[in-house]
Amino acid sequence: MTAVTSAPSVARTAAGAPRRRRPRVAPGRVALYAVLGVLLLVFLFPLAWAVSASFKPRGDIFSSTSLIPAPATLDNYQRLLGEQPFWSWFGISVGVAVVATVVSVFVCALAGYGFAKFRFAGKRLLFGVMFSSLSVPFAVILVPLFILVVKSHLSNPWFALIVPWVAPAFGIFMMQQYIVQSVPDEILEAGRIDGNTEFQIFRRLVLPLLRPSLGALAVWSFLQTYNSFLWPLVLVSDSSSYTLPVGLNTLFQAENRSFDLVLAGAVLASVPTVLVFLLLRKQLLEGLSAGAVKG
Amino acid sequence: MTAVTTTVPAGPPAVPADAAPAARTRRRSPSSGGNAPYLFIAPFYVLYVLFMIVPVLAAVYLSLTEWVGLGTPTFVGARNYADLLRDTSFRTALGNSAVYVLVSVLIVVPCALLVAQALNARGLRARDLFRVTFFVPMVLSPIVIALVYGLLLDRSYGVVNTVLRALFGIGSVDWLGDPTLAKVAISFVLLWRWVGYLSIFFLAALQAVPRELYEAAALDGAGALRRFTTVTLPAIQPVSAFVVVTSFISAAQLFDEPYLLTRGGPGESTLSVAMFIYRAAFERQQLGYAAAAGVVLFLVVFVVSQVLNRVLAIGRAQ
């Protein structure tokens, strides 16, 4: 954060001063930063290694231990993009994730609003049923869902990779929590007096207020869809409509273990999610924490 | 399921209390009027019925049949379940999944709490850098993680063994080829992937604990450990319950890591229940059998989450 560099001088004199009388603060601090620093390395090393290895010639990936590739080469990337339908996998993964995210954010906001701001017969039961789906493992419905989708000729990836996943209970719960806390009833009341329909109130008055949590939910949903593996693995049989994870898996399972290509693919595949996360990290982390504390 | 009754009523008290009673008396009729709420939740429920209720019912039906995917399923009663009970592979898978669950709940969750405690240290610099970096594994695709760890842990060439060889002279540890070490390796990857994500929830909960509570406890002469057990743990109880139940459910249906890192091997020593289901259905065309295994998994997860919810909620009432 930016505050980090400038704040300490102020914080130390203002808030920190009285506590400084405790003598054991300093060694504790050193240990704290040491532990966190080691953890930082544990988290970053595998990633740094992968990025570095993806720029090394195949023969160097294991033999050279340096994190700086010398010589560095784009060969892995060029061969991956030249020999494999990488962009097609990439397009399907990103496309599916974007569509699923947009639809799911809307569905979750609608349902979350319905549960948060209305009283109606059966609400407790319906909410409970919705929430209970959080504890249904996906492996339970894997087989029947696959059969249903295939038998009703809906196994087109643009349908089957998206539609079953656009109404996650987690998202509805998150929206419901947020709406209860941050949308005042007075606004809805005023909207009704102005003669808006219930849907107009939702779209014009409520949705704009939900922007922070919609962002959090969107990132969450994008990550879920983009990274999902088991369902696309089962569903997609045609290699031209593989998603990225399935495509990379196939490459890696191939006989010559083309780890040079797969490393390059792994780095490229991580770009969209890391980018989305870094751009919207505040919203995501705060959205998740808000749900946790209030829930 | 009971999480509903425990979590939801916990919400309103956090909202400013003044708004609630007034709203209740005045706005009952307009808010409940008409079919608007049903229309708002309708899209969710249509999808929910089609892609959750119907498949669950279909799973129960399929589990009572024998079917290779062609023609019509043959009804065989409870035979699949009887076969499952005798199937050593299924027992192995249940045992392995139990290991993954225990690792998640007893190692990953406490580690996440420790990390959150560290991140909650007063005046910590670069807190966001740590928080964001620890979260990154959750952002990456499991295939990317499995690929990188598969190469790092490679028996002959992996960096991990190279380092061990240089430092201690022990090399060639077969991380993914030894039945016990493979479980250790998968557990480590689980820890690496989940700990930062879960610590976000703990950190938020810790930050919400009023400082005065700690100060009061310190005045009473409570040491750090005692403050942790008497102040921190009770205060973060609801979040802990949420984290434990979520981790339990995710670990019980673990598929990606064992499938990608070891293919369930060596032998079946890392085979999870979800992999067992996948293998039965899509490699062996035993669709009814796979569905039965799914129903068993469902029952186990359901019962255990109920128990967890109850146990954790009792702790909270105290």
Side-chain angles (χ1 to χ4, degrees), chain B residues 75-116:
Chain B
F75 189 81
V76 295
R79 206 177 72 202
N80 286 327
Y81 293 98
D83 289 346
L84 275 177
L85 283 180
R86 281 194 299 271
D87 189 336
T88 48
S89 294
F90 186 63
R91 258 182 268 157
T92 309
L94 276 177
N96 292 337
S97 284
V99 170
Y100 300 139
V101 163
L102 291 177
V103 166
S104 301
V105 173
L106 300 181
I107 298 178
V108 180
V109 170
C111 284
L113 179 54
L114 283 179
V115 169

Side-chain angles (χ1 to χ4, degrees), chain A residues 8 56 118 122 137 172 192 226 254:
Chain A
K56 290 177 181 171
F118 294 91
I172 293 171
R192 288 191 186 108
Y226 186 87

Side-chain angles (χ1 to χ4, degrees), chain B residues 199-214:
Chain B
S199 70
I200 294 296
F201 298 105
F202 279 128
L203 180 59
L206 290 173
Q207 285 171 338
V209 181
R211 290 273 164 206
E212 301 80 59
L213 289 182
Y214 289 111

Side-chain angles (χ1 to χ4, degrees), chain A residues 29 118 121 126 138 253, chain B residues 31 38 45 122 125 253 263:
Chain A
R29 277 289 126 139
F118 294 91
L126 288 169
F138 171 60
Q253 298 310 322
Chain B
S31 309
Y38 297 105
Y45 260 95
R122 216 166 173 182
R125 296 200 206 180
Q253 56 175 322
R263 302 279 137 173

Side-chain angles (χ1 to χ4, degrees), chain A residues 83-124:
Chain A
E83 294 167 11
Q84 304 295 335
F86 182 85
W87 289 123
S88 138
W89 302 341
F90 190 84
I92 288 187
S93 272
V94 172
V96 162
V98 167
V99 175
T101 299
V102 171
V103 179
S104 115
V105 163
F106 190 67
V107 170
C108 290
L110 275 176
Y113 176 65
F115 281 123
K117 287 293 174 190
F118 294 91
R119 303 162 171 281
F120 49 93
K123 173 170 161 178
R124 266 188 95 84

Side-chain angles (χ1 to χ4, degrees), chain A residues 20-272:
Chain A
R20 293 214 114 196
R21 264 176 261 141
R22 283 203 213 156
R24 60 195 173 87
V25 167
R29 277 289 126 139
V30 174
L32 176 67
Y33 282 107
V35 168
L36 288 175
V38 168
L39 278 182
L40 208 63
L41 284 182
V42 170
F43 279 97
L44 285 180
F45 174 76
L47 310 177
W49 181 84
V51 172
S52 144
S54 73
F55 290 103
K56 290 177 181 171
R58 182 177 169 111
D60 277 7
I61 289 179
F62 283 129
S63 59
S64 118
T65 45
S66 161
L67 270 186
I68 295 157
T73 170
L74 286 175
D75 193 44
N76 298 331
Y77 289 91
Q78 277 159 352
R79 283 197 300 125
L80 172 74
L81 301 178
E83 294 167 11
Q84 304 295 335
F86 182 85
W87 289 123
S88 138
W89 302 341
F90 190 84
I92 288 187
S93 272
V94 172
V96 162
V98 167
V99 175
T101 299
V102 171
V103 179
S104 115
V105 163
F106 190 67
V107 170
C108 290
L110 275 176
Y113 176 65
F115 281 123
K117 287 293 174 190
F118 294 91
R119 303 162 171 281
F120 49 93
K123 173 170 161 178
R124 266 188 95 84
L125 177 71
L126 288 169
F127 191 84
V129 168
M130 181 275 291
F131 202 85
S132 71
S133 68
L134 278 176
S135 55
V136 179
F138 171 60
V140 175
I141 59 166
L142 172 69
V143 178
L145 184 63
F146 174 77
I147 294 169
L148 291 171
V149 162
V150 171
K151 292 285 167 195
S152 35
H153 305 286
L154 295 171
S155 58
N156 178 315
W158 289 99
F159 178 88
L161 292 181
I162 297 175
V163 179
W165 311 113
V166 294
F170 178 81
I172 293 171
F173 180 62
M174 195 168 145
M175 295 309 299
Q176 186 260 359
Q177 294 273 304
Y178 187 82
I179 293 169
V180 165
Q181 290 154 31
S182 57
V183 177
D185 284 342
E186 287 69 28
I187 291 185
L188 314 182
E189 220 33 30
R192 288 191 186 108
I193 291 166
D194 289 348
N196 288 298
T197 65
E198 291 294 337
F199 186 73
Q200 283 169 335
I201 293 174
F202 171 75
R203 199 171 53 90
R204 292 186 191 152
L205 304 176
V206 177
L207 264 190
L209 292 176
L210 303 185
R211 208 168 284 157
S213 69
L214 291 178
L217 181 57
V219 184
W220 183 83
S221 163
F222 183 84
L223 295 177
Q224 293 287 315
T225 329
Y226 186 87
N227 289 337
S228 83
F229 178 65
L230 177 51
W231 179 240
L233 176 71
V234 166
L235 187 86
V236 185
S237 48
D238 170 18
S239 74
S240 67
S241 44
Y242 279 170
T243 62
L244 268 176
V246 179
L248 291 177
N249 178 50
T250 317
L251 261 190
F252 193 54
Q253 298 310 322
E255 265 173 45
N256 59 349
R257 289 212 0 169
S258 26
F259 48 81
D260 44 353
L261 298 192
V262 189
L263 273 170
V267 171
L268 286 182
S270 306
V271 168

